Amino acid sequence: MKLALLPWILMLLVTTPGPKSTAGAQSSCSLRCGEQDGLCSCHPTCSGLGTCCEDFLDYCLEISPTSGSMMGGKDFMVQHLEWPGSTDGVICRFKDSIETLGYIDNLTRVHCISPLLYESGHIPFTISLDNGRSFPRAGTWLAAHPYKVSESEKSQLVNETRWQYYGTSNTTGNLSLTWNTSVLPTPTVTIELWGYEETGKPYSEDWTAKWSYLYTLTGNTPNSGVFTFTPKPASPEHQKWKVGALRISSSKNYPGQQDVLALWTNDHALAWHLGDDFRADSVAWAREQCLAWEALEDQLPNFLTELPDCPCTLAQARADSGRFFTDYGCDIEQGSVCTYHPGAVHCVRSVQASPRYGSGQQCCYTAAGTQLLTSDSTSGSTPDRGHDWGAPPYRTPPRVPGMSHWLYDVISFYYCCLWAPECPRYMKRRPSSDCRTYRPPRLASAFGDPHFVTFDGTSFSFSGSGEYVLLEARLTDLRVQGQAEPGRMPNGTQARGTGLTSVAVQEGNSDVVEVRLAGNPQALEVLLNQKALSFTEQNWMDLKGMFLSVASEDKVSIMLSSGAGLEVSVQGPFLSVTVLLPEKFLTHTRGLLGTLNDNPKDDFTLRDEQVLPPDASDQQVFQFGANWAVPNTSSLFTYDSSFLVSKFLNQPKHDPNFIPLFFNELTLSQVEEVSGLCQNDRFCILDAISTGSVSVGNATRTALRLHQERLGSLQPVVSCGWLPPPSNGHKEGLKYLVNSTVRFSCHSGYSLVGSETSKCRADGTWSTPTPECQPGRSYTVLLSIIFGGLAIVALISIIYVLLHRRRKNNMAMWSSQP
């Protein structure tokens, strides 16, 4: 989405609040949300510029809450819109096709109910107040993965494990669920079971996903917040559903009524509703299901070949944030509660689903930081035919967030591993990836005054004032831009140094995300396509061409579809930005973060391909930076205030009048004054002097240290790959990285043929192959027999000698008698 300059100029011709609504569509925002042309603006930036149409908030809707589970059933209210007059009916239309009934409350406020969806992300909606004759009002609803919404928004299965093991050995009795009664303002509720299935030929156009109402557990039950029952086997026609969820709604609704105010439980294995055959012999039943899954799985395409290899170490996995992200089911930051992977302390998932099959990679690690593989343990990480987080365009199998993963990867784990002892069958078809082909991403950073460390390791300072190209990559049309402003001295005057105050990114035709400093004290503000986002409800968002995560108020992570990643954080008074690029970007980058080609000598490459020498002076490097000013026609930034308009939009993209303080201008006394406090760090010294603040210098030094630590975590590690134990034997050692040693031994009755140890060498090969354990007496047994035999022979010899001496003594005594 390239921003043309002309619409900005037209919009900014109006610098006071726009004209009041008069006759003519161009003075109203009806059916015009997002547009900038006309007598007044309906664009998100109009509020800050004072150019909005008078009815902007009546038609371009703001809602509360802004998000909810993709399972639907959540009530949200339209803010700033009151409808006191009569209405033929409120209809809320999502994605131009899914309609739900809204209502007007006793305070004349308009409400909608979110629908059941098969996707996550921002969902556009429109509202009709005339029973569907027109839909002039528009807004956006954020649908979230069910496991990424607050627990208070869901009904809770009490002892969820018991629910999912019900009917197996020693698991009987009552089950209970609870819910927040304030969410359902009704005296009585109905609790229903809904089942999920995907039907049709896999990977064909008729492969469809569907939630279906199955039956009612209880109706007209008091809305007490708790329900307890004794499960009975479902009727035969319902037992084909193995995965589902319970829905609690008002008893006024008819059974199975779609898209009503409701609370849902988590999706789960429906052990509790299965038939008498399951309860009579759950192991035999589950084994049969496991074998059926195995047969189906062997007919489906091999999705493993297009998955990325796992990082070799936990440090790599946590540092490679463009391609891998924490698995919420095993998070070291949340106490390492790893239900499905005992023995692991942390797991990550590949952020992007595989391009053809929509599959996902999972990588789990031990406390020692090494991979946990299914070849060694059933606790190992398992890849997924259906990515847990889904994959664009969603809606169709196996790309439905959460649910496709349940059908193809989770319920089969119950069949084979949890309900029956057939786990080797599952692990054979969900083997862990080792890391032999893993290549860490390349790292570059900008921080402080600002200072840059390029992908090839060149360090330099460029204190320009304006908007600059941090990175361009034609390979995927990736653009990262930075906006820099002069800092302030302690007395309030302008400093001779600048810093990043905003960073914007777009890849191809993806959404545009901008992260900028805002407020005092400074915090991060995130804009999506020039509209500010709120993270009070969700800290993870599925966007077009990227994912967005806000772990804290001062850090934003952006994960692009190419595998590139950005992290933007607050360091002192400025922004710090880190960019990670997979190796496929090699030779495809340019801009202030350098030319990624393992050659630091050409990092100062200008737009016209001329290259400054590596030892260029500070003044020459300043001209290099100015050369990478953003062209007006390709700016990604938002200009939604008079300051931004006057400072950046209506000015040259590089301010030629701002002359920074260069390091070679510093006097010896200036350097000596702060070098001790900065521990002789060159960047810290320059920032402390240019801003008059040692704290700014130390913030820069901290940012550089964090860059160096991450760079250390991303160093390549040699792996020799998994080494199997010998048949009829076992091995000691589950680490397969360089200099690791694995030891072998045999079971009783077998002898080892080959080396007892093997060491991972620097060339990625094992020093010796896995030895064999051959039938026969082991060396220990043979030695025992040999030495035992020798001991018996020796004992017999001693006895013989003693008896022989005694006999001789007796003969001598007899011969001396008279």
Side-chain angles (χ1 to χ4, degrees):
M1 183 182 75
K2 296 183 183 295
L3 300 179
L5 184 61
L6 182 58
W8 281 107
I9 295 175
L10 291 174
M11 179 186 67
L12 293 165
L13 291 176
V14 184
T15 57
T16 59
K20 306 299 182 183
S21 290
T22 59
Q26 298 304 302
S27 63
S28 171
C29 286
S30 176
L31 298 174
R32 290 186 57 235
C33 290
E35 295 182 11
Q36 294 178 218
D37 57 347
L39 299 177
C40 52
S41 175
C42 302
H43 192 271
T45 56
C46 72
S47 298
L49 296 168
T51 59
C52 296
C53 297
E54 186 181 55
D55 59 4
F56 173 66
L57 292 177
D58 289 338
Y59 287 96
C60 305
L61 306 178
E62 295 181 5
I63 60 175
S64 177
T66 60
S67 66
S69 169
M70 56 182 264
M71 297 299 293
K74 190 169 183 179
D75 186 322
F76 63 85
M77 180 189 71
V78 178
Q79 296 181 309
H80 315 296
L81 175 63
E82 294 184 2
W83 196 256
S86 62
T87 176
D88 293 333
V90 179
I91 298 178
C92 308
R93 178 183 289 171
F94 297 80
K95 292 186 73 77
D96 296 325
S97 60
I98 305 170
E99 294 186 353
T100 67
L101 292 177
Y103 68 95
I104 296 176
D105 65 20
N106 55 10
L107 297 177
T108 70
R109 297 174 302 190
V110 178
H111 293 250
C112 289
I113 304 297
S114 65
L116 171 62
L117 297 165
Y118 295 80
E119 62 184 303
S120 56
H122 285 88
I123 309 296
F125 72 89
T126 54
I127 292 181
S128 171
L129 298 175
D130 55 12
N131 202 31
R133 288 188 291 273
S134 65
F135 288 84
R137 294 170 169 81
T140 302
W141 170 253
L142 178 59
H145 188 294
Y147 282 75
K148 292 179 179 176
V149 299
S150 169
E151 293 300 312
S152 64
E153 296 184 30
K154 298 182 284 189
S155 172
Q156 304 297 319
L157 301 177
V158 178
N159 191 348
E160 189 167 338
T161 300
R162 179 178 173 82
W163 281 76
Q164 300 185 115
Y165 277 82
Y166 196 94
T168 63
S169 178
N170 299 321
T171 308
T172 58
N174 294 333
L175 296 177
S176 298
L177 67 155
T178 61
W179 63 93
N180 181 357
T181 59
S182 64
V183 178
L184 295 173
T186 178
T188 60
V189 296
T190 294
I191 302 177
E192 305 166 334
L193 176 63
W194 289 61
Y196 180 80
E197 62 181 336
E198 294 181 355
T199 59
K201 182 180 179 181
Y203 303 103
S204 69
E205 291 184 359
D206 65 346
W207 202 11
T208 58
K210 185 179 181 182
W211 277 100
S212 300
Y213 162 75
L214 301 186
Y215 54 84
T216 297
L217 276 183
T218 182
N220 291 311
T221 295
N223 186 13
S224 63
V226 62
F227 175 68
T228 299
F229 71 109
T230 302
K232 297 179 181 179
S235 59
E237 67 268 23
H238 293 141
Q239 290 179 19
K240 72 171 185 176
W241 280 275
K242 312 300 192 305
V243 175
L246 293 171
R247 191 185 78 165
I248 308 174
S249 63
S250 170
S251 296
K252 294 180 180 179
N253 303 316
Y254 62 79
Q257 185 172 346
Q258 292 269 1
D259 302 324
V260 296
L261 181 65
L263 286 172
W264 292 82
T265 65
N266 280 336
D267 37 75
H268 59 279
L270 300 180
W272 57 271
H273 103 135
L274 295 177
D276 288 325
D277 52 346
F278 175 76
R279 298 188 181 190
D281 191 343
S282 60
V283 172
W285 185 95
R287 179 180 288 111
E288 182 179 349
Q289 297 295 321
C290 177
L291 294 176
W293 168 81
E294 181 183 52
L296 173 63
E297 188 71 21
D298 291 345
Q299 297 173 13
L300 298 179
N302 181 8
F303 69 92
L304 299 173
T305 56
E306 65 172 0
L307 292 180
D309 231 1
C310 283
C312 292
T313 66
L314 176 58
Q316 284 180 336
R318 301 189 72 186
D320 190 353
S321 58
R323 294 182 290 183
F324 296 92
F325 196 82
T326 298
D327 181 348
Y328 52 79
C330 183
D331 184 359
I332 197 170
E333 299 291 341
Q334 301 296 326
S336 298
V337 181
C338 306
T339 303
Y340 296 111
H341 304 280
V345 298
H346 193 71
C347 295
V348 296
R349 292 188 183 276
S350 56
V351 173
Q352 303 293 337
S354 62
R356 184 175 182 184
Y357 297 119
S359 304
Q361 183 63 277
Q362 184 193 48
C363 314
C364 294
Y365 300 87
T366 66
T370 58
Q371 277 189 274
L372 190 60
L373 305 179
T374 53
S375 302
D376 295 320
S377 168
T378 57
S379 298
S381 52
T382 52
D384 305 318
R385 181 172 290 280
H387 197 300
D388 186 19
W389 304 336
Y394 304 107
R395 293 191 292 266
T396 58
R399 298 173 178 270
V400 179
M403 300 316 305
S404 292
H405 174 57
W406 252 103
L407 282 193
Y408 300 105
D409 305 295
V410 181
I411 192 63
S412 49
F413 184 77
Y414 276 83
Y415 295 156
C416 301
C417 297
L418 300 182
W419 294 344
E422 299 291 339
C423 216
R425 297 180 186 275
Y426 183 88
M427 297 304 170
K428 180 180 179 181
R429 287 152 186 84
R430 295 293 185 270
S432 298
S433 159
D434 63 21
C435 64
R436 281 176 293 178
T437 64
Y438 173 76
R439 298 293 179 269
R442 304 302 182 90
L443 181 70
S445 295
F447 48 85
D449 200 0
H451 312 286
F452 298 82
V453 182
T454 70
F455 294 105
D456 290 339
T458 300
S459 299
F460 67 94
S461 301
F462 167 63
S463 297
S465 176
E467 296 176 354
Y468 303 96
V469 174
L470 302 183
L471 170 66
E472 283 183 353
R474 293 191 180 96
L475 178 69
T476 61
D477 193 22
L478 170 61
R479 293 178 294 152
V480 183
Q481 300 174 359
Q483 200 174 75
E485 301 176 29
R488 291 289 168 183
M489 301 293 284
N491 62 7
T493 60
Q494 180 173 285
R496 289 188 63 190
T498 63
L500 292 173
T501 55
S502 185
V503 174
V505 59
Q506 183 183 33
E507 187 172 47
N509 65 345
S510 76
D511 286 330
V512 177
V513 169
E514 181 180 355
V515 184
R516 66 188 185 186
L517 290 172
N520 190 17
Q522 290 178 317
L524 292 180
E525 182 180 45
V526 183
L527 295 94
L528 172 63
N529 300 326
Q530 302 176 3
K531 182 177 182 180
L533 293 174
S534 171
F535 294 92
T536 56
E537 298 175 22
Q538 301 293 331
N539 58 16
W540 173 278
M541 293 186 183
D542 302 2
L543 307 179
K544 182 182 179 183
M546 64 180 73
F547 292 95
L548 184 67
S549 172
V550 178
S552 61
E553 292 182 352
D554 60 358
K555 182 179 178 182
V556 175
S557 297
I558 303 168
M559 295 143 277
L560 301 163
S561 60
S562 64
L566 276 78
E567 287 192 2
V568 184
S569 60
V570 179
Q571 289 290 345
F574 302 123
L575 294 179
S576 172
V577 58
T578 295
V579 182
L580 300 105
L581 293 182
E583 277 197 343
K584 67 182 180 182
F585 283 91
L586 200 68
T587 73
H588 292 288
T589 72
R590 61 182 198 156
L592 294 181
L593 293 178
T595 305
L596 172 55
N597 60 1
D598 295 323
N599 178 19
K601 294 182 179 180
D602 64 357
D603 275 344
F604 297 141
T605 299
L606 304 174
R607 286 185 182 273
D608 61 5
E609 304 300 328
Q610 293 187 59
V611 180
L612 299 183
D615 59 351
S617 67
D618 292 349
Q619 287 76 8
Q620 287 177 306
V621 172
F622 185 74
Q623 294 305 314
F624 156 74
N627 182 254
W628 282 105
V630 173
N632 280 334
T633 55
S634 61
S635 172
L636 299 176
F637 294 103
T638 303
Y639 309 102
D640 56 356
S641 69
S642 57
F643 168 78
L644 292 172
V645 169
S646 61
K647 175 66 178 177
F648 296 105
L649 181 63
N650 293 339
Q651 297 294 330
K653 292 302 183 181
H654 170 72
D655 185 353
N657 298 317
F658 180 81
I659 305 300
L661 179 66
F662 297 109
F663 195 89
N664 55 20
E665 295 179 0
L666 302 181
T667 65
L668 181 61
S669 61
Q670 286 179 309
V671 174
E672 289 177 344
E673 184 178 352
V674 297
S675 60
L677 297 173
C678 286
Q679 298 184 9
N680 296 316
D681 182 278
R682 179 186 175 96
F683 290 162
C684 173
I685 291 171
L686 180 60
D687 287 10
I689 296 173
S690 66
T691 63
S693 171
V694 175
S695 64
V696 175
N698 280 327
T700 296
R701 188 159 60 91
T702 297
L704 177 60
R705 175 179 56 81
L706 293 173
H707 171 88
Q708 292 169 337
E709 289 176 355
R710 173 168 281 197
L711 193 63
S713 297
L714 290 172
Q715 289 304 301
V717 177
V718 174
S719 171
C720 293
W722 179 69
L723 194 63
S727 298
N728 303 306
H730 58 271
K731 67 179 181 183
E732 295 180 9
L734 303 178
K735 189 175 181 181
Y736 308 113
L737 306 181
V738 65
N739 294 326
S740 299
T741 299
V742 176
R743 302 182 182 278
F744 307 98
S745 58
C746 294
H747 298 155
S748 178
Y750 292 85
S751 58
L752 193 71
V753 178
S755 175
E756 292 184 358
T757 63
S758 188
K759 186 174 183 179
C760 180
R761 299 183 293 200
D763 63 357
T765 62
W766 289 101
S767 59
T768 59
T770 297
E772 295 181 4
C773 289
Q774 295 183 349
R777 300 183 183 277
S778 68
Y779 292 139
T780 302
V781 174
L782 289 174
L783 290 175
S784 298
I785 293 174
I786 292 171
F787 284 111
L790 290 175
I792 293 173
V793 171
L795 180 62
I796 292 173
S797 299
I798 292 171
I799 293 173
Y800 174 79
V801 171
L802 291 175
L803 290 174
H804 184 68
R805 287 181 177 176
R806 182 176 180 183
R807 181 180 178 186
K808 290 178 67 176
N809 290 337
N810 289 338
M811 290 177 65
M813 181 181 66
W814 294 336
S815 61
S816 62
Q817 289 178 350

